Amino acid sequence: MELGIIGQAAGLFAVTNIDDILILALFFAQGTGRPGSTRRIVLGQYLGFTAILAVAVAAAFGATFLPESAIPYLGLLPLTLGLKAAWQAWQDHRDGSEDEEEEPAKQDGPGPLEVAAVTFANGGDNIGVYVPVLATAGVGGMTVYAAVFLVLVAVWCFAGKFFATRPVIAKALARWGHILLPLVLITVGLLILIEGGAFGL
C-alpha cells in the first residue's frame, strides 16, 4: 500500500512539474561561475514548492488562503521577472564592454526569492490538482505525498543542474540563455494569465 502511494506521488509530481526542469536548467546556466548560485537556486526551488505544498495541504483541510480566482494572476510574477531579465539582457548588450568589466564585481544570477516566485507561480495551477488527491489521502497518505514531493524537488534540482552542465547544452545556454530565460519566463507568465482567464483574456 505504502509503495503504491509513493509511486502515485512520484508520478503526480513528475507530470505536474516537468516544465520546471527547463526553467531550472536556465537558472543554473545563468548562475554558472557565480559563487553560491547553486545553493540559492535550490533554496529558492524549495521555498517555492514548499509554499505550493502548504497552500495545497491547507486547502485539503478546508482552509483557502488563495482563492481560485487569484491563481491566474500569479502569472504576473514570472511575467514581471521575465521583463526584468529581458531589460537587463538588453542593457548588458547595449553597454557591451563596460558591463564585461563590471561582471566580476556583480553577484548576479538568480536569487532564492526570484526562483521561489517563479516556482510558486508556475506551480500555482498544480494546487488544484494536488488538493483533491491530498484531501482523499488522509493524514498518513498526505505525509507520504509531501515527503516524496520534497525528495523529488532535490531530484529536479539535480536534473536541472545536470542539463545545464552538459557541454552541448551548456554551450547553447551560455550563448542563448540571456535570451531564453526572459523568453521562457514571459511565456510562462502569459500562459498562466491567458489559460486562467485573468483580466478577461
Side-chain angles (χ1 to χ4, degrees):
M1 178 65 180
E2 201 83 352
L3 282 175
I5 295 178
I6 290 171
Q8 288 167 24
L12 182 63
F13 182 91
V15 167
T16 53
N17 291 286
I18 198 72
D19 52 340
D20 264 358
I21 291 179
L22 170 63
I23 296 170
L24 277 167
L26 286 166
F27 277 140
F28 280 118
Q30 191 186 34
T32 300
R34 294 184 168 96
S37 67
T38 298
R39 188 178 68 248
R40 290 194 298 272
I41 293 165
V42 171
L43 175 62
Q45 184 71 5
Y46 265 101
L47 284 172
F49 193 81
T50 302
I52 290 169
L53 197 53
V55 171
V57 168
F61 280 117
T64 309
F65 298 118
L66 195 66
E68 203 171 312
S69 58
I71 289 174
Y73 294 95
L74 291 174
L76 292 171
L77 290 171
L79 180 61
T80 304
L81 291 169
L83 290 170
K84 181 186 166 197
W87 172 256
Q88 186 63 54
W90 181 76
Q91 288 279 78
D92 290 348
H93 176 71
R94 192 190 66 173
D95 296 346
S97 59
E98 287 176 33
D99 273 5
E100 282 173 27
E101 289 168 22
E102 289 175 25
E103 196 68 34
K106 289 200 299 187
Q107 196 181 17
D108 254 344
L113 292 179
E114 183 183 346
V115 176
V118 173
T119 302
F120 186 76
N122 193 38
D125 55 338
N126 296 354
I127 294 168
V129 178
Y130 296 159
V131 171
V133 174
L134 295 175
T136 55
V139 176
M142 201 181 283
T143 307
V144 174
Y145 269 96
V148 171
F149 284 179
L150 292 173
V151 168
L152 288 176
V153 169
V155 174
W156 249 234
C157 289
F158 176 80
K161 177 88 171 177
F162 176 82
F163 287 122
T165 53
R166 293 310 89 199
V168 175
I169 299 172
K171 191 175 178 184
L173 290 177
R175 185 170 181 185
W176 302 106
H178 66 289
I179 295 169
L180 278 176
L181 182 65
L183 195 61
V184 168
L185 292 179
I186 290 167
T187 303
V188 165
L190 288 174
L191 283 173
I192 295 169
L193 290 167
I194 293 165
E195 286 176 7
F199 304 114
L201 295 171

